[in-house]
Amino acid sequence: MNMNMNASSRILIVEDEEKLAALEADYLHNAGFDTTILADGDAVIAWLKQQNVDLVLLDLMLPGRDGLSICREIRSFSTVPIIMITARIEEIDRLLGLELGADDYICKPFSFREMVARVKAVLRRLQVQGADYRSESLLLDADSFRVSAEGHDIELTTVEFQLLQVLYKQPGRIFSRSKLMDLIYQDSRIVSDRTIDSHIKKLRKKLAGLAPGQELIHSVYGAGYRYEPYRQDAG
Ligand code: CA
């Protein structure tokens, strides 16, 4: 996969609404990307197996075959970044629960500038992960629930540590609140979304002391949380 954003990265747009697809392509061209549009869900897999792309913008509702099953099948043979586009924000939480392996979600209607920004952000994030993830110097000690960076360390509560561990193991991946609850609590019916938010808030406060100026845990509006690797050279 070519992650060089300076050369023109190639984006596959899977969208059956012709005008919308054309506008997406226009904005991406203006931002320096090459694009290909496919309107038919059935054509996507065969096309991707023969072509190289840097990112796929995948509409959820398509004739022929829906975006969910396409996303799943792409993941069976490729790690190409995928941004899912859905018409309903309420749908996003359900999509996250399905663990499709998409890298980001955009809700219709969206601004095209926002779309371009999200495409760039996903490409940049993966580039950083590829280049720097191995130099991640945040250390998690599961025996003592302590986290350290550059010789400093902090102590976390059990839940805070578990939350950090889940997010940290898959940097860049968005976890919904309900997914986090399922992963952390034996019986997730006893906790609410707010419980997760409150633990995350405390965890972020502690991490801010360890990594000043870096936001390691990002909240994604309407979706959940994701971890971004600690950078030793920052701040
Ligand atoms: Ca559609």
Side-chain angles (χ1 to χ4, degrees):
M1 185 169 41
N2 169 29
M3 295 305 294
N4 184 354
M5 287 172 65
N6 299 322
S8 33
S9 297
R10 194 171 177 201
I11 315 281
L12 172 63
I13 298 168
V14 184
E15 173 58 69
D16 58 305
E17 292 170 52
E18 248 177 74
K19 281 183 186 166
L20 181 59
L23 280 166
E24 290 177 6
D26 277 353
Y27 273 81
L28 289 165
H29 285 161
N30 290 340
F33 295 102
D34 282 339
T35 58
T36 299
I37 298 172
L38 289 180
D40 181 6
D42 285 323
V44 178
I45 297 296
W47 191 90
L48 275 175
K49 284 185 170 169
Q50 304 202 358
Q51 310 278 334
N52 271 322
V53 283
D54 296 290
L55 187 140
V56 180
L57 273 175
L58 180 58
D59 186 33
L60 182 67
M61 299 293 281
L62 294 162
R65 190 173 174 186
D66 70 71
L68 296 182
S69 77
I70 295 172
C71 187
R72 277 210 189 88
E73 188 168 348
I74 293 174
R75 275 295 166 265
S76 70
F77 66 91
S78 168
T79 57
V80 64
I82 301 171
I83 299 181
M84 294 281 295
I85 299 186
T86 163
R88 293 172 56 203
I89 195 147
E90 302 84 52
E91 187 73 12
I92 291 179
D93 207 48
R94 192 176 76 84
L95 294 177
L96 286 167
L98 295 173
E99 292 196 74
L100 297 168
D103 296 272
D104 203 355
Y105 297 84
I106 296 177
C107 190
K108 285 181 184 175
F110 53 84
S111 91
F112 294 98
R113 283 206 181 91
E114 166 76 8
M115 176 202 72
V116 169
R118 301 280 278 275
V119 165
K120 286 181 176 170
V122 166
L123 291 174
R124 200 180 309 121
R125 195 161 86 212
L126 295 179
Q127 198 170 34
V128 166
Q129 250 170 262
D132 300 339
Y133 184 56
R134 292 177 65 183
S135 69
E136 162 84 61
S137 47
L138 195 72
L139 295 171
L140 277 67
D141 179 358
D143 294 323
S144 65
F145 296 147
R146 296 186 84 86
V147 183
S148 59
E150 295 172 58
H152 300 283
D153 73 340
I154 50 169
E155 195 176 332
L156 303 176
T157 64
T158 315
V159 172
E160 288 162 1
F161 188 86
Q162 287 172 326
L163 281 169
L164 178 61
Q165 201 172 32
V166 166
L167 295 164
Y168 168 89
K169 278 186 178 166
Q170 288 178 271
R173 180 177 159 192
I174 306 166
F175 288 86
S176 66
R177 290 172 177 79
S178 54
K179 184 78 199 165
L180 289 171
M181 285 192 277
D182 286 345
L183 289 169
I184 284 162
Y185 294 97
Q186 300 280 346
D187 184 354
S188 60
R189 288 168 304 177
I190 59 170
V191 287
S192 73
D193 289 12
R194 287 182 171 216
T195 315
I196 291 290
D197 287 341
S198 129
H199 286 299
I200 291 273
K201 198 175 164 188
K202 287 175 193 156
L203 174 59
R204 278 171 144 174
K205 202 175 263 180
K206 290 183 181 178
L207 290 173
L210 194 66
Q214 292 189 46
E215 211 181 339
L216 302 178
I217 296 174
H218 291 246
S219 49
V220 183
Y221 178 71
Y225 295 102
R226 71 157 182 261
Y227 177 82
E228 301 240 342
Y230 172 82
R231 301 179 314 281
Q232 196 156 15
D233 57 343

